Amino acid sequence: MASMIARSARIATVTGIRHVARIGAISATTTTTTTTARLARPSSAMNKTATRFFSVSRIARDDQPRLRLGSTAPNFKAETTEGAIDFHEFIGDSWTILFSHPADFTPVCTTELGAFAKLQPEFAARNTKLIGLSANGLESHADWIKDIEEVSTGGTKFNFPIIADADRKVAYLYDMVDHQDLANVDKAGVAFTIRSVFIIDPNKKIRLTLAYPASTGRNTAEVLRVLDSLQTGDKAGVTTPINWVPGEDVIVPPSVSDEAAAAKFGEFKAVKPYLRFTKYPEQILKK
């Protein structure tokens, strides 16, 4: 009887570990049997327990939504270098690019912010706002901007807001912390922010997410290229192939019949029944 009870307990423990692994609450290899049993409770109890293990974040699991393409971008209020904002009000009827930085006065991020500042007119021409985020306060941001203007903008004045997120509330809201950074904390015990990019459309939907390692600078041309692709696709009802840039041929979606494609785009080239190219829809985009 004792051996049967012990075997049942082992099965229950393994089942609980698998359940926890599926929901991503905590790695099974770092829990005890007692902890696993607690985390396998119904969701309300599980969330309270998970909060203890992620106390470094100071944010409950329920406050960190799972963000996917098509998710509504979480709203928040924050102080920025250009004043207080409500994020959804800031977006308004524009596209918005939100990108984060682990700290002020970091070398890679200094070059990135300068590059985005130089391209800001291109984004503005596409009805797109830029907004950065860094895990420091406004005074630090102001001093950092002076450095950015000196070394990275080529004389261009810094021209978009940076969110002051010293307590990482926005960073956690947007899941801008990677696995390693849960243990990589500052003096206050708060995890550092990773370098993420979000493209958000006027409907407040997330259309692109990117996460970069600390060693690799972002590619502003690629962010602009994806924005062009999204806006072209939304307006003209097309998709874009590998390495596409504006002016090049686009793809007719498989959901569009040959007859409908001919009526809408005129000529098209069918490489395969599911792969049809047509000219850049300049006239449609001008409407």
Side-chain angles (χ1 to χ4, degrees):
M1 178 64 71
S3 62
M4 291 179 64
I5 293 173
R7 182 172 179 274
S8 297
R10 286 197 300 273
I11 293 173
T13 298
V14 171
T15 302
I17 289 173
R18 288 172 179 165
H19 175 67
V20 171
R22 281 198 302 273
I23 62 174
I26 191 167
S27 171
T29 59
T30 62
T31 63
T32 63
T33 302
T34 304
T35 300
T36 303
R38 285 202 303 269
L39 286 175
R41 292 176 184 172
S43 58
S44 61
M46 179 193 71
N47 286 335
K48 293 177 182 177
T49 305
T51 302
R52 269 206 316 280
F53 284 96
F54 286 85
S55 59
V56 65
S57 74
R58 301 178 182 175
I59 303 292
R61 281 176 54 84
D62 285 345
D63 294 328
Q64 190 178 45
R66 226 171 243 201
L67 301 181
R68 298 184 174 92
L69 297 185
S71 295
T72 298
N75 195 24
F76 59 86
K77 294 182 179 180
E79 295 293 332
T80 81
T81 52
E82 296 185 6
I85 64 163
D86 174 290
F87 188 51
H88 281 189
E89 291 180 2
F90 172 83
I91 294 171
D93 295 325
S94 302
W95 291 71
T96 297
I97 297 175
L98 167 66
F99 51 101
S100 63
H101 304 273
D104 296 351
F105 305 103
T106 49
V108 174
C109 297
T110 299
T111 66
E112 290 174 328
L113 282 165
F116 273 109
K118 285 190 285 187
L119 273 179
Q120 191 274 341
E122 291 291 333
F123 287 105
R126 293 159 172 80
N127 186 34
T128 301
K129 297 176 180 177
L130 300 176
I131 184 165
L133 176 150
S134 185
N136 293 94
L138 291 177
E139 185 175 347
S140 176
H141 286 359
D143 290 338
W144 188 27
I145 286 173
K146 294 175 185 176
D147 281 3
I148 295 167
E149 290 179 335
E150 179 184 347
V151 303
S152 296
T153 66
T156 301
K157 183 175 176 59
F158 196 80
N159 44 24
F160 57 87
I162 302 176
I163 297 166
D165 194 37
D167 57 8
R168 319 306 200 265
K169 286 183 178 179
V170 179
Y172 279 96
L173 187 63
Y174 277 77
D175 198 15
M176 296 175 180
V177 179
D178 67 9
H179 176 75
Q180 175 183 349
D181 283 340
L182 289 174
N184 182 19
V185 299
D186 64 11
K187 293 179 180 179
V190 182
F192 286 112
T193 304
I194 61 170
R195 297 161 61 249
S196 302
V197 179
F198 296 86
I199 294 182
I200 301 165
D201 69 19
N203 294 317
K204 318 301 187 289
K205 300 298 183 183
I206 295 173
R207 303 293 296 275
L208 169 80
T209 62
L210 294 170
Y212 284 78
S215 60
T216 305
R218 281 168 270 213
N219 187 325
T220 52
E222 172 64 2
V223 176
L224 192 63
R225 189 189 77 88
V226 175
L227 178 66
D228 282 332
S229 173
L230 291 170
Q231 293 184 344
T232 299
D234 283 3
K235 191 163 186 179
V238 296
T239 57
T240 58
I242 180 73
N243 295 330
W244 175 90
V245 293
E248 295 182 347
D249 290 356
V250 295
I251 295 173
V252 180
S255 58
V256 178
S257 67
D258 287 349
E259 293 77 12
K264 184 174 184 178
F265 304 111
E267 294 183 358
F268 63 88
K269 178 182 178 181
V271 179
K272 293 287 183 182
Y274 59 86
L275 180 57
R276 297 164 297 169
F277 289 93
T278 190
K279 296 295 184 181
Y280 180 69
E282 187 171 1
Q283 295 304 314
I284 296 176
L285 296 173
K286 285 182 178 180
K287 292 180 181 178

